[in-house]
Amino acid sequence: MTKSELIALLASRTTQLAQKDTELTVKTILDAMTTALANGQRIEIRGFGSFSLSTRSSRVGRNPRSGEQVLVPAKQVPHFKAGKELRERVDNAFLAQQNVN
């Protein structure tokens, strides 16, 4: 699902908000999450999952064209861990799909 598909789905479910208001709401939530992660904070959404930062240490990589060694610096990357409820719902949907086939 893309961001525009999410906005369209939420707008169709919520008659009180116009499409522009729904778009602003989704953008505001995603911006707040991005800012929190950029500031090193952890985000937890009960029943859905948590976002945190993982540190990747520096390493030596290779340039695929020339084959020469390149130093890849250490960096912080976002990490998502699904919550128990989300894992169970996805697993149950998968099992139900398997039983249909």
Side-chain angles (χ1 to χ4, degrees):
M1 174 178 280
T2 64
K3 184 168 131 181
S4 58
E5 291 171 340
L6 175 64
I7 291 168
L9 177 67
L10 292 175
S12 70
R13 287 186 179 182
T14 310
T15 58
Q16 299 89 348
L17 292 176
Q19 174 106 11
K20 277 194 160 199
D21 294 334
T22 305
E23 186 175 343
L24 178 63
T25 302
V26 170
K27 185 179 180 326
T28 302
I29 290 170
L30 294 177
D31 286 346
M33 292 173 72
T34 301
T35 301
L37 285 172
N39 291 333
Q41 296 173 323
R42 183 173 182 271
I43 302 167
E44 183 177 332
I45 303 171
R46 303 271 176 174
F48 181 71
S50 61
F51 297 86
S52 59
L53 294 176
S54 295
T55 303
R56 288 194 184 161
S57 56
S58 62
R59 61 184 174 84
V60 176
R62 291 207 179 268
N63 181 331
R65 286 191 179 186
S66 64
E68 71 180 80
Q69 292 186 344
V70 178
L71 179 65
V72 179
K75 59 184 167 182
Q76 296 276 342
V77 293
H79 174 74
F80 174 73
K81 181 177 180 186
K84 181 180 177 185
E85 184 180 333
L86 177 61
R87 286 193 317 266
E88 289 173 352
R89 289 180 70 177
V90 169
D91 191 39
N92 289 338
F94 175 74
L95 293 174
Q97 182 68 26
Q98 293 298 315
N99 290 335
V100 170
N101 296 332

